[in-house]
Amino acid sequence: MSAEATNPEAHPEARPELRRRGRSRLDLRRLGRAALLGPTSRDRLPDAIGHVAEAHRAHHPDADMSILRRAYLLAESSHRGQMRKSGEPYITHPLAVTLILAELGAETTTLTASLLHDTVEDTDVTLDQVRAEFGDEVCFIVDGVTKVEKIDYGAAAEPETFRKMLVATGNDVRVMSIKLADRLHNMRTLGVMRPEKQARIAKVTRDVLIPLAERLGVQALKTELEDLVFAILHPEEYESTRALIAAHAGERDPLPGIADSVRTVLREAGIAAEVQVRPRHFVSVHRISRTRGELRGSDFGRILILVGENADCYGVLGELHTCFTPVVSEFKDFIATPKFNLYQSLHTAVATPEGYVAEVIVRTRQMHRVAEAGVVALGNPYATATPDAAADPDEERVDPTRPGWLSRLLDWQQSAPDPDTFWTVLRAELAQDREITVFRADGGTLGLPAGASCIDAAYAQHGEAAHGCIGARVNGRLTSLSSSLSDGDTVQLLLAQDASSGPSAEWLDHARTPAARIAISSWLDSHPDRAMATTSAARAPLSVVGVRGGGANAVADLPDATVRLAGCCTPVPPDAVAGFLVRGGAVTVHRVQCAAVAQMRAVGRTSVAVHWRATADCRVTLLAESFGRPHLLADLTEAIAREGVEVVSATVEPPVEGRVRHTYTLQLPDAAGLPALMRAMRDVPGVYDVSRA
C-alpha cells in the first residue's frame, strides 16, 4: 500500500470543512497528483482501520464503527500470509480500497463489504460466514463483487468479465463503486507489472471503467484514473504535460488573486459562499493545451464557488456577470438541465481587467458532494421505509437510483449474440456522453442517448414488437422513423397490424442504441430473403382518374371568368374563401387561412370576391395515410363509394418504410357529408390518418 493512500500526514492540505474538525482529510485528487509527480517513501500504517474510521466519521458522525473494526479483523486474519506483487501484505489492498470509498462518503455497509470484498474469493471465508457475522446486505454486495472475476485473465476473458460486472452492478450499484475503487488502487500500484500488462490493463480502464465512472458520476475516481492511464499509454505527452505544470508552478498564479476579488464581490453582495481554486488534473491540462495552444496562468485551474441553496447559485452568477466581463459562450446551466450522471452546476467564465480569463463553477455543497462522489454519495438506495420489513436475498432488486443508461445496458447485454459483439457495442455505448429524455404518448418517459432516432425509441418502448413499426408522430406531427429526437420531444410510435412486418436494412443506418441494432441485425439474419430485398427502388405513383371532371361550385363576381378551386387547400362549403385573378383570366379560390393568400396579395394579384353556389355539392382533395397491405386501395374505394361520393382522381405513392400515402380528389353530393366520409375512411383497417390536402 503506497504512502499516498495510507499516510494523511504526507498531505497537510485539508479541505475547509475538515479544518473545523481539527484534522486533515485526504484529498483523492491531491493523492493522485502526488503519486504522479514523483515517488514517495512507503511507511507502515499504524492503526490502519483508525484512518478509515476517522474518514468515515467525517461524513457520518453517528455511524457505528464497531462493524468496521470487526470486518477489518476478519479480513486481516483471513488474508494473513498473503502478499501483493509489490511485496506488501495483501491486507493493504482492501484497506486502501475502503479508505478511498470512505473519503468519498460511502455509508457503513459499503465500507464493510469493501473490507471483505476479496475474502470469499481469495481465502477460506464463506458467504455464509459473512452473512452470519454482518447480515444479508453486506453478504449481497460481497457476493456481487466476488462474481466479477479479476480482469487479468487475458483479452478473451474481458467481455464476459464486464458482462458479469454489469449484471452485478444492476443488482446493486455499490458493487461498481467497490470495483472502481479497487481498480484505482491497482492502477496506483501498477508499476510492479510488466510494461505490456500495464498497457493492457490501462486500455481496458480507459475504454470501459473510466466511462463507467463518468456515467456513475464518480468524478474523483474518474479524473485520477484518467491521469494514471495517460501516464502509461501516452508517456511522451504525459512528460510534456508534467513539464508544463512544473514550469507553471514557478510562475505567478493569477487565480488566487481573482478568487480574492470574487470573495470581496460576494461578501459585499451579502452572499455567503466558499471560494476555492481547483487545479486542473493532467489530462485536463493536456486537452486545453491542444485546443488553446500556449497556456496562460489562469488556464491551469478553475475557481469553484460553493453556496448553500440553489437560488444562491444564480445570485452568484448575477454578481459575477455584473462585476466582471462574462464570456457568454462559456455559460452552461447544468442545474436546470442536469447531466445524465446526476451532475449539477453552473459553468461560466469571466475576464479580468488584467486580461485573464477564469473559468468558474458554481454549485451548492450538496451538488459538490454528488459531483465528486456520484452514486457513492447516495447512500443505501435499497433502505426500506419500514426497517422491520424482511427482504428476500434471492429476489432481484429494483434500484430506484439506477440511471436509464444502465437499464439499457442490462437489457441489450442479454441479446448480444457473442462476446465480441458485446465488447464492441459496450465500448460504443459508453462513448455516448450525453442523454436525452423523450415522452411517450401514454405519459411515460424514455431515456435515450443523444442523437437517437424514432427507431431507437421504438425498440426501447416495444422491444421486438418494434419490428412492425412503420412511422411515428413527434410532437403531434407525422415523421419518418429515421428522424432524430431531441430532449423533451413527445413521440407516438405507429405499429403495423401485419405480424409479418419487419425492419429493413436501412434501419441500421439510423439506429444508435445497441438494443435496436442487435434486434434489427438478428431479424435480418433470420430473414435473409427480406434483408436482400431492396426497399428503395423508385416506382412511379399509381394514378387513377375518373371519367367525370366535375365543375367547381364557387362563383366569382367577374362575368365569364373560369373559377378553379385551389389544390393547395381544397376549399369546400362553407369555408371562408378568397379569390384572385391569375393568368388566362381565371379566378383561383383559396381558403382564407391558406398561406397562398398572403403570397397572392404580396405579389399584387387582383382580388376577386367569390361565394358558394346554392347547390350543396362540392369537390375536395383528401390525404389518407395508411400501413401497406394487400387490397387497401380497393377497400378505401369501397368505403368512399358507400358514402355516395364519386372519385374524380386518385394517386397512390410507393410505400416508404411500410407506409403508403393516398391522395383522392372527390366529388361530394353534399358538403355536410365530409366529416362522415373522413370517419368512414379512417375506419378502414390499416388507415391511421385522413386529412384535407
Side-chain angles (χ1 to χ4, degrees):
M1 187 180 202
S2 64
E4 302 89 70
T6 62
N7 188 359
E9 301 304 322
H11 305 286
E13 179 180 304
R15 282 155 57 177
E17 68 269 24
L18 295 162
R19 292 197 197 98
R20 292 192 293 269
R21 297 182 179 275
R23 68 173 294 270
S24 171
R25 285 183 59 201
L26 303 179
D27 185 332
L28 285 178
R29 295 176 184 273
R30 187 168 179 82
L31 293 182
R33 291 173 64 84
L36 288 167
L37 288 171
T40 60
S41 62
R42 298 179 181 272
D43 298 325
R44 184 180 64 85
L45 177 66
D47 188 18
I49 194 61
H51 290 280
V52 173
E54 288 183 44
H56 184 41
R57 192 178 290 113
H59 289 278
H60 304 277
D62 299 327
D64 179 10
M65 299 299 165
S66 63
I67 187 174
L68 291 181
R69 295 187 178 275
R70 287 191 289 114
Y72 170 69
L73 291 175
L74 177 59
E76 195 279 332
S77 60
S78 60
H79 286 298
R80 190 172 298 161
Q82 296 178 350
M83 306 296 287
R84 304 194 77 215
K85 291 184 179 180
S86 59
E88 299 165 322
Y90 194 88
I91 187 60
T92 59
H93 172 65
L95 265 175
V97 172
T98 306
L99 186 57
I100 290 170
L101 293 170
E103 290 294 330
L104 291 174
E107 37 81 48
T108 308
T109 301
T110 303
L111 299 185
T112 304
S114 175
L115 284 168
L116 302 170
H117 78 271
D118 279 338
T119 54
V120 174
E121 181 179 5
D122 295 338
T123 74
D124 294 333
V125 175
T126 66
L127 283 174
D128 289 337
Q129 287 178 270
V130 173
R131 180 181 291 109
E133 184 72 19
F134 301 100
D136 290 335
E137 199 75 17
V138 172
C139 179
F140 191 94
I141 300 173
V142 171
D143 186 35
V145 177
T146 302
K147 289 177 179 176
V148 182
E149 298 172 354
K150 291 184 178 180
I151 312 169
D152 57 0
Y153 295 152
E158 287 165 2
E160 193 57 33
T161 295
F162 280 101
R163 192 193 294 265
K164 291 179 180 179
M165 181 181 290
L166 286 175
V167 173
T169 301
N171 289 335
D172 195 317
V173 293
R174 292 172 291 182
V175 171
M176 181 58 75
S177 301
I178 294 174
K179 291 305 298 183
L180 288 173
D182 176 87
R183 174 50 61 95
L184 175 57
H185 182 246
N186 285 335
M187 288 293 295
R188 286 176 178 173
T189 58
L190 205 59
V192 298
M193 294 186 177
R194 299 187 308 273
E196 60 271 17
K197 192 167 186 179
Q198 291 184 37
R200 184 178 63 78
I201 294 176
K203 287 178 182 177
V204 174
T205 304
R206 176 197 63 191
D207 292 344
V208 177
L209 285 174
I210 288 176
L212 280 173
E214 169 76 13
R215 294 295 184 95
L216 293 170
V218 194
Q219 294 296 320
L221 300 187
K222 179 234 179 187
T223 53
E224 188 176 348
L225 284 171
E226 280 185 327
D227 284 350
L228 292 165
V229 167
F230 182 45
I232 293 172
L233 297 183
H234 306 281
E236 294 181 359
E237 293 176 331
Y238 163 73
E239 286 298 334
S240 63
T241 304
R242 176 178 175 174
L244 194 63
I245 294 174
H248 166 68
E251 300 175 353
R252 176 183 173 272
D253 188 350
L255 284 177
I258 299 174
D260 287 338
S261 300
V262 170
R263 290 188 189 97
T264 301
V265 167
L266 298 181
R267 184 169 55 250
E268 292 175 352
I271 299 176
E274 180 183 336
V275 182
Q276 304 176 13
V277 174
R278 301 257 293 184
R280 292 182 183 272
H281 63 105
F282 279 75
V283 171
S284 180
V285 172
H286 174 67
R287 286 170 181 161
I288 64 169
S289 67
R290 296 185 63 181
T291 57
R292 300 180 187 177
E294 185 177 354
L295 300 182
R296 304 187 66 187
S298 58
D299 292 328
F300 287 87
R302 289 179 288 191
I303 294 177
L304 173 66
I305 302 176
L306 301 179
V307 294
E309 304 292 338
N310 286 21
D312 294 335
C313 294
Y314 294 96
V316 169
L317 184 70
E319 293 298 326
L320 291 176
H321 286 187
T322 300
C323 299
F324 300 91
T325 303
V327 182
V328 179
S329 61
E330 295 295 321
F331 174 68
K332 297 181 181 66
D333 187 347
F334 295 117
I335 295 178
T337 54
K339 290 185 178 182
F340 61 88
N341 61 359
L342 311 177
Y343 180 86
Q344 288 184 287
S345 291
L346 295 178
H347 287 209
T348 188
V350 295
T352 67
E354 295 79 15
Y356 291 109
V357 175
E359 295 184 29
V360 184
I361 300 174
V362 187
R363 58 175 70 137
T364 67
R365 290 178 177 82
Q366 175 60 20
M367 291 177 191
H368 180 60
R369 182 168 175 247
V370 174
E372 292 292 290
V375 296
V376 179
L378 298 177
N380 181 4
Y382 313 98
T384 58
T386 55
D388 296 333
D392 183 356
D394 297 326
E395 183 179 353
E396 182 178 356
R397 302 179 177 198
V398 178
D399 184 352
T401 68
R402 178 189 294 174
W405 62 266
L406 180 54
S407 296
R408 292 198 304 272
L409 287 181
L410 294 171
D411 289 340
W412 69 255
Q413 64 87 19
Q414 299 176 359
S415 305
D418 56 76
D420 289 339
T421 299
F422 167 77
W423 189 239
T424 301
V425 177
L426 172 65
R427 289 185 292 179
E429 168 76 356
L430 292 176
Q432 300 283 345
D433 60 354
R434 291 196 305 116
E435 188 172 83
I436 62 173
T437 299
V438 299
F439 296 91
R440 302 184 338 199
D442 60 6
T445 60
L446 296 173
L448 299 169
S453 66
C454 294
I455 294 173
D456 299 305
Y459 282 95
Q461 180 174 348
H462 297 293
E464 292 188 357
H467 292 331
C469 195
I470 60 165
R473 291 184 185 275
V474 178
N475 302 324
R477 298 177 65 88
L478 196 66
T479 187
S480 65
L481 286 173
S482 60
S483 300
S484 295
L485 296 169
S486 300
D487 195 42
D489 281 347
T490 298
V491 59
Q492 178 186 1
L493 301 161
L494 307 173
L495 301 181
Q497 298 175 341
D498 184 2
S500 64
S501 298
S504 70
E506 295 175 352
W507 287 20
L508 290 172
D509 297 332
H510 307 289
R512 296 290 179 269
T513 58
R517 296 186 62 83
I518 290 174
I520 295 168
S521 299
S522 298
W523 190 92
L524 294 174
D525 290 343
S526 60
H527 298 79
D529 53 330
R530 298 285 293 275
M532 295 297 294
T534 175
T535 59
S536 58
R539 290 186 291 167
L542 171 64
S543 298
V544 180
V545 182
V547 296
R548 180 175 181 272
N553 55 348
V555 179
D557 293 345
L558 189 66
D560 302 325
T562 302
V563 178
R564 300 172 183 166
L565 299 180
C568 56
C569 57
T570 60
V572 298
D575 292 341
V577 291
F580 296 91
L581 190 63
V582 295
R583 291 191 182 117
V587 175
T588 179
V589 180
H590 297 262
R591 284 191 276 173
V592 294
Q593 301 95 337
C594 181
V597 171
Q599 296 173 0
M600 290 285 191
R601 289 172 177 161
V603 299
R605 294 287 186 186
T606 303
S607 178
V608 178
V610 291
H611 61 274
W612 297 110
R613 287 197 188 111
T615 179
D617 68 328
C618 68
R619 181 175 295 185
V620 66
T621 300
L622 298 179
L623 301 179
E625 302 276 357
S626 65
F627 306 137
R629 67 172 179 83
H631 310 299
L632 179 61
L633 180 60
D635 292 345
L636 268 170
T637 304
E638 182 180 354
I640 293 170
R642 283 199 301 267
E643 296 297 317
V645 176
E646 184 177 359
V647 178
V648 176
S649 66
T651 301
V652 183
E653 299 177 10
V656 176
E657 295 182 344
R659 294 184 292 117
V660 182
R661 188 178 188 183
H662 307 251
T663 304
Y664 293 94
T665 300
L666 306 171
Q667 188 73 30
L668 279 70
D670 188 344
L674 180 58
L677 170 64
M678 295 175 70
R679 283 196 298 271
M681 294 174 67
R682 289 192 187 101
D683 289 340
V684 173
V687 176
Y688 55 84
D689 195 17
V690 176
S691 60
R692 289 174 63 180

